[in-house]
Amino acid sequence: MIRGIKNIKALSNKRFISTANTTTKYASLSNGVTIATESNPHAKVSSIGLFYGAGSRSEHAYSNGISALTTNILGSGLENGVLLTSENGKETNGIIAQTTNDNIIEASKIIAKIGSNASEIIKGSEFELFKKQLIGQGEQLESVPQKMILEHLSASAFQGYSLGLPTLGTSSSVKDLQVDDAERLLEKHLVGSNVVISASGNINHDELVETIESSLNIPQGHKPITKPASFLGSEVRMRDDTLPKAFVSIGVEGEGFTSPAYYVAKVAANVFGSFDSKATNATLTSSKLSSMVHEYHLVDKFQHFSTSYSDNGLWGFSCEVSNVQLLDDFIHWTLKEWNRLSVSITDAEIERAKQQTKVQLLAELNSTKSVVSDIGNKVLLSGYRNSITEALSKIDSIQTKDVKAWAKVALWDKDIVISSTGQTEALMDYSKWRNQMAMLRW
Amino acid sequence: MLSRSAIRSYSVTVRDAPGNLSSVSVVINGGSKAGKSGQAHLLSKFNFLNNELKSGLRFTRESELLGGIVSSKLTRDSIILNTQFLREDLPYFVESLNNVLTKTSFRPHELSEIVLPSALNDFTQASKSNAFKGEEALHKISFKKGYGNSLYYDGSKSFSSEDIKEFSKTVYTSNNVEFFASGVIEEDFKSFLSDLSLPTTSVESVPVKSYIGKESRIQSSGPSYAAIGLPIKPADFAKFDILSATIGSSLLPSSSPLSKIGAISRVLKYKDAGLFIVESSGDAAQVSESIKKAKSLISSVSSSDLKSSVKSANLLQALQSSFESPLSYSIDESSANVKVTDFNYVAVGDIDVLPFADDL
């Protein structure tokens, strides 16, 4: 409802448990596996996850989908009150067990068992059934235009590199996957230094470490090298006149997890935030862009994002527009606002965006599952996870000039990537939008 | 640290939590079950707009400057005001909630320009889904009044801003609101709350009556939907959690007896009643098959199956329980006995193909 918060519905619907801020305890096992736990006395559900670095980025066009498929097989089932689910990203995969607090030791034994016998579990599984389910998941994603354009945005931005591959694979690549492919993946990626086990809930760190240490058997091994990726300014249009709107996303190359400008990019995205023309506060929200677009109903919804991978990212917006004849007005004003980040953004706008970034950061960690996933991903991709206090003070120290400096380097006159579906005939050609990334005068 | 007490007869639950984020929620016992159909939805949309002390514009800009996340949500039971903010901003957000509850202006132009379009959008978006239509129909036939009211305002009745204001006076009363504050210090919170003065008129509680053996069929385009529904008492939540965990719950995604036949179950829990639902959606012929199989599956669950799902049912309960709506009943083997014989039934979509309740 409030502009500036991505995915507000998910935030407000989920349980709020304030887990964000307790200290994380770490332990390293002799085989290189990192264990990280956060205790939260208020949690009703405890979660423990095994995360390993792989994801679609570790694949190639013919094995695309294998990490998601393997993880889906390992992370599924309900046994004795322990629910197994999986989480698949572009660079990591996770098997997460959720259970009631008193049952967490049982859950950690199950996680250790899966980690130790991954290859046997794959061999004994209904491989073909899981392939069908994964293809179904991919089709589901493609059927939601808002999600589909984002997947194609990164496919176009990182084309030619494995980072551009779809997270869940394609129906044709998944169809041909074999059990051998899964075993090769596990052999290479499920190795000590590439595995993080994270847990959150009403739990005891030492007890958990002991359980895992005694029952987890993962071979030692080096973290595989992350495949390179570089950003290419480009455009992809998937015209579909059966859809009632135009769905467009435009991005530039963003910041990686380890980038010093990681939080600056987040704050910059929150300067414009998000907007929903049907929310009761649509006409009231602060960003200049939202006040420009609401009066003439240029846009139904828009949302800015700063997505990060280990060494690069995507920064931009996605929107849905039912007044398609006004689509070029909306994009024009949005890009002109982006220009303003480099030249005339005000202190008040940055202050607001900073506060919103802080609350957003804290509020996102609203379930033990999201905490577990946050720890797993950050530790795998950047080697460590900074404390919330550190994150907040980093955001506090950002000044207007820092955002301007970032925008001059990352945004001003930079190549863009465009992805769209629906009534794309209303979208002007690439060079027009590329030219709007700078102004001749201001 | 969790403490529950009443100041000036308000029900307040406060817990401190480490860290920088605080959250204060007000749960108002006046969701769509209360008042005339749609009134609660419109009232929930008026929250955080203009009040006597502050314009909606000023509040929105100020709270954004503090980074706050603010929402007004509607359920069948309640209107839930939720605020999340940095610890130091507690006084500001408590005052704002106070203003919403006692000083909202209910201006006529806000109703036509902001509230109605937003409310109708909720309704039209939700109504695109046959599953939503089916769930609504299931509530209607199962409860008729109260929980049987439509969740959203559908535009068929016209209310003035004065009507909504009057309605607000009947639900924003001291014995009808509950406060839940997390990440705050109890004394601080209570001292800020001491400024709040709500009327103490008592709310007439509508006794919940439920009906079984009803059927509703709605012709509609789009994917078909069929559901078996059973209104249940709060005392039986544990039993149906166990049943749901045994046959396959939407909250426990895994390979289950129901998922194998293309169906899933849910237990909707309200304050004074609940609704156990087994549903299937998709192609009409497929749905017919699934719902028939689901029916025979429910009636053939053995008590040993139920007993072995007690732990999963405990997880199911924990997943649904939240700070603002805690579920505290215990689930053990003594609840592992439930038989579903009579039920309600809805079919939405291609009703020429979808079976009748008698065919199941």
Side-chain angles (χ1 to χ4, degrees):
Chain A
M1 209 178 245
I2 276 210
R3 176 202 43 67
I5 308 298
K6 271 189 241 168
N7 210 353
I8 183 73
K9 205 166 171 202
L11 288 185
S12 55
N13 283 348
K14 274 193 191 160
R15 279 159 297 122
F16 164 71
I17 55 164
S18 233
T19 49
N21 313 298
T22 44
T23 43
T24 317
K25 289 185 182 168
Y26 293 92
S28 290
L29 303 185
S30 53
N31 56 2
V33 173
T34 306
I35 302 181
T37 71
E38 265 187 27
S39 171
N40 170 24
H42 296 313
K44 300 224 163 63
V45 176
S46 288
S47 304
I48 177 165
L50 185 154
F51 290 81
Y52 63 105
S56 51
R57 191 173 182 175
S58 71
E59 300 163 355
H60 52 73
Y62 300 103
S63 68
N64 190 199
I66 190 64
S67 61
L69 178 65
T70 309
T71 314
N72 282 354
I73 296 174
L74 297 175
S76 68
L78 173 66
E79 203 185 322
N80 266 331
V82 178
L83 176 69
L84 290 169
T85 50
S86 54
E87 210 174 82
N88 301 309
K90 294 224 177 276
E91 299 180 297
T92 61
N93 300 87
I95 300 142
I96 302 173
Q98 288 171 279
T99 189
T100 45
N101 292 323
D102 54 349
N103 211 15
I104 185 73
I105 295 299
E106 174 76 20
S108 48
K109 280 182 190 157
I110 292 178
I111 284 290
K113 204 168 119 194
I114 292 171
S116 312
N117 305 303
S119 160
E120 285 73 44
I121 295 172
I122 300 286
K123 274 185 221 157
S125 68
E126 294 177 84
F127 201 72
E128 293 304 315
L129 183 75
F130 279 99
K131 272 162 73 171
K132 234 163 115 189
Q133 283 174 0
L134 182 63
I135 292 171
Q137 271 182 31
E139 279 167 0
Q140 181 78 31
L141 186 137
E142 286 282 308
S143 69
V144 181
Q146 290 90 337
K147 290 184 182 167
M148 180 250 217
I149 53 170
L150 290 177
E151 186 70 65
H152 285 269
L153 188 77
S154 79
S156 186
F158 301 110
Q159 56 186 278
Y161 295 95
S162 61
L163 185 54
L165 293 172
T167 315
L168 303 176
T170 63
S171 52
S172 59
S173 72
V174 173
K175 207 173 64 216
D176 296 333
L177 293 174
Q178 304 289 329
V179 176
D180 288 353
D181 297 317
E183 286 191 59
R184 264 197 297 278
L185 172 94
L186 290 171
E187 202 178 306
K188 194 172 165 201
H189 293 273
L190 201 67
V191 291
S193 54
N194 197 30
V195 171
V196 173
I197 293 185
S198 51
S200 167
N202 199 347
I203 51 174
N204 178 328
H205 175 80
D206 297 332
E207 215 181 337
L208 214 67
V209 172
E210 225 167 82
T211 315
I212 302 241
E213 188 160 31
S214 62
S215 49
L216 180 70
N217 180 17
I218 283 180
Q220 278 191 355
H222 290 296
K223 205 177 164 71
I225 294 163
T226 309
K227 291 188 186 174
S230 97
F231 180 94
L232 182 72
S234 52
E235 172 171 20
V236 55
R237 285 175 189 238
M238 292 146 290
R239 180 168 174 164
D240 181 353
D241 286 348
T242 63
L243 292 173
K245 297 178 180 183
F247 299 86
V248 182
S249 179
I250 297 184
V252 295
E253 183 169 18
E255 302 302 324
F257 277 117
T258 49
S259 159
Y262 175 78
Y263 290 111
V264 178
K266 291 247 181 242
V267 169
N270 267 336
V271 168
F272 312 115
S274 56
F275 171 83
D276 176 357
S277 62
K278 295 294 184 192
T280 51
N281 64 359
T283 57
L284 312 174
T285 49
S286 316
S287 87
K288 196 176 164 199
L289 181 59
S290 64
S291 58
M292 281 193 270
V293 298
H294 84 251
E295 188 156 350
Y296 297 99
H297 194 187
L298 299 187
V299 67
D300 299 340
K301 281 180 186 171
F302 72 72
Q303 148 172 329
H304 279 75
F305 56 81
S306 174
T307 308
S308 296
Y309 306 114
S310 55
D311 54 354
N312 53 17
L314 284 170
W315 187 98
F317 75 88
S318 61
C319 69
E320 45 184 279
V321 174
S322 51
N323 283 338
V324 285
Q325 69 279 17
L326 296 176
L327 176 66
D328 62 330
D329 293 65
F330 171 68
I331 298 179
H332 168 82
W333 289 115
T334 306
L335 298 186
K336 287 299 110 188
E337 279 294 286
W338 284 16
N339 293 160
R340 220 162 55 76
L341 264 189
S342 304
V343 294
S344 61
I345 203 74
T346 61
D347 293 343
E349 288 171 288
I350 300 297
E351 272 315 306
R352 167 181 54 77
K354 277 162 63 178
Q355 293 297 94
Q356 289 181 318
T357 309
K358 285 196 280 185
V359 176
Q360 190 178 323
L361 180 82
L362 295 165
E364 268 169 3
L365 299 171
N366 60 354
S367 72
T368 54
K369 194 181 174 192
S370 58
V371 172
V372 158
S373 160
D374 191 63
I375 299 175
N377 278 299
K378 293 236 170 87
V379 174
L380 278 174
L381 297 180
S382 58
Y384 73 106
R385 176 178 183 252
N386 56 11
S387 71
I388 289 292
T389 333
E390 195 187 332
L392 295 182
S393 74
K394 273 188 178 163
I395 297 170
D396 275 331
S397 69
I398 294 170
Q399 294 176 6
T400 311
K401 65 175 172 48
D402 301 326
V403 179
K404 277 187 184 170
W406 173 80
K408 277 176 192 158
V409 175
L411 274 183
W412 186 265
D413 204 17
K414 282 284 176 284
D415 280 349
I416 52 173
V417 58
I418 305 176
S419 163
S420 59
T421 190
Q423 301 182 13
T424 58
E425 77 271 24
L427 180 65
M428 300 280 182
D429 73 330
Y430 182 86
S431 59
K432 159 151 180 162
W433 301 128
R434 175 64 184 81
N435 291 339
Q436 300 253 23
M437 291 301 287
M439 290 186 277
L440 291 176
R441 60 186 174 84
W442 58 82
Chain B
M1 280 276 285
L2 193 77
S3 79
R4 195 183 267 273
S5 63
I7 25 168
R8 278 207 191 172
S9 79
Y10 302 127
S11 157
V12 179
T13 309
V14 183
R15 72 176 185 196
D16 201 358
N20 313 69
L21 189 71
S22 298
S23 132
V24 176
S25 297
V26 188
V27 178
I28 300 138
N29 180 23
S32 35
K33 69 176 180 185
K36 291 175 187 145
S37 224
Q39 258 181 339
H41 189 205
L42 296 180
L43 174 57
S44 76
K45 294 280 174 186
F46 261 111
N47 295 326
F48 300 113
L49 293 182
N50 291 336
N51 63 54
E52 289 161 26
L53 294 181
K54 245 177 221 178
S55 68
L57 178 74
R58 184 171 159 199
F59 167 72
T60 309
R61 299 280 167 106
E62 282 176 350
S63 67
E64 287 184 353
L65 206 50
L66 299 172
I69 301 175
V70 176
S71 68
S72 169
K73 229 177 68 184
L74 175 77
T75 68
R76 285 182 200 274
D77 258 331
S78 346
I79 294 171
I80 302 167
L81 307 177
N82 178 263
T83 55
Q84 292 182 65
F85 45 85
L86 297 173
R87 220 168 225 279
E88 61 266 26
D89 299 324
L90 177 67
Y92 178 84
F93 284 94
V94 174
E95 194 206 319
S96 304
L97 288 168
N98 187 339
N99 289 345
V100 169
L101 292 174
T102 56
K103 300 192 180 64
T104 301
S105 305
F106 298 101
R107 301 256 171 85
H109 77 272
E110 289 177 312
L111 178 68
S112 56
E113 289 171 16
I114 298 173
V115 170
L116 283 176
S118 183
L120 286 171
N121 180 60
D122 287 350
F123 174 73
T124 29
Q125 292 302 323
S127 303
K128 285 179 184 168
S129 148
N130 281 344
F132 175 79
K133 283 186 201 161
E135 201 181 305
E136 287 284 289
L138 208 48
H139 279 89
K140 273 199 176 65
I141 57 176
S142 300
F143 299 106
K144 293 187 184 172
K145 287 179 194 161
Y147 292 125
N149 286 355
S150 305
L151 181 60
Y152 293 136
Y153 174 70
D154 64 1
S156 60
K157 221 173 156 115
S158 96
F159 293 108
S160 71
S161 57
E162 219 28 61
D163 296 335
I164 307 300
K165 188 176 184 174
E166 286 308 310
F167 176 64
S168 83
K169 284 182 188 157
T170 66
V171 288
Y172 290 178
T173 60
S174 63
N175 41 0
N176 207 32
V177 299
E178 288 178 85
F179 290 86
F180 294 88
S182 174
V184 305
I185 295 168
E186 196 174 344
E187 289 79 53
D188 291 357
F189 182 68
K190 288 187 173 166
S191 69
F192 293 131
L193 208 62
S194 59
D195 297 338
L196 177 67
S197 81
L198 283 170
T200 48
T201 37
S202 64
V203 187
E204 54 167 319
S205 66
V206 188
V208 175
K209 255 182 104 178
S210 59
Y211 304 83
I212 298 184
K214 309 285 175 204
E215 180 172 355
S216 176
R217 303 175 71 77
I218 303 167
Q219 184 146 12
S220 173
S221 59
S224 291
Y225 173 87
I228 290 167
L230 186 66
I232 57 178
K233 293 190 178 70
D236 291 335
F237 283 175
K239 286 184 185 176
F240 283 91
D241 274 344
I242 295 178
L243 177 59
S244 183
T246 309
I247 55 179
S249 158
S250 62
L251 284 172
L252 303 172
S254 61
S255 174
S256 63
L258 276 184
S259 77
K260 281 178 191 140
I261 56 174
I264 201 74
S265 76
R266 288 186 287 159
V267 187
L268 303 177
K269 293 168 186 143
Y270 305 117
K271 234 173 125 190
D272 306 312
L275 194 57
F276 170 68
I277 300 178
V278 178
E279 62 197 348
S280 172
S281 67
D283 169 66
Q286 191 63 50
V287 169
S288 310
E289 246 344 82
S290 299
I291 202 76
K292 279 179 191 165
K293 284 185 187 158
K295 159 69 184 38
S296 61
L297 190 106
I298 306 169
S299 32
S300 67
V301 178
S302 74
S303 64
S304 64
D305 286 346
L306 290 173
K307 280 201 178 107
S308 63
S309 303
V310 170
K311 274 193 167 177
S312 300
N314 272 304
L315 175 61
L316 187 61
Q317 182 202 31
L319 284 167
Q320 282 185 300
S321 186
S322 68
F323 178 52
E324 288 88 357
S325 46
L327 300 171
S328 53
Y329 54 88
S330 69
I331 302 180
D332 51 38
E333 289 201 359
S334 67
S335 305
N337 56 1
V338 63
K339 270 266 170 291
V340 179
T341 42
D342 288 336
F343 52 85
N344 295 325
Y345 173 75
V346 293
V348 187
D350 189 351
I351 53 172
D352 294 331
V353 177
L354 294 172
F356 286 83
D358 308 339
D359 305 334
L360 296 181

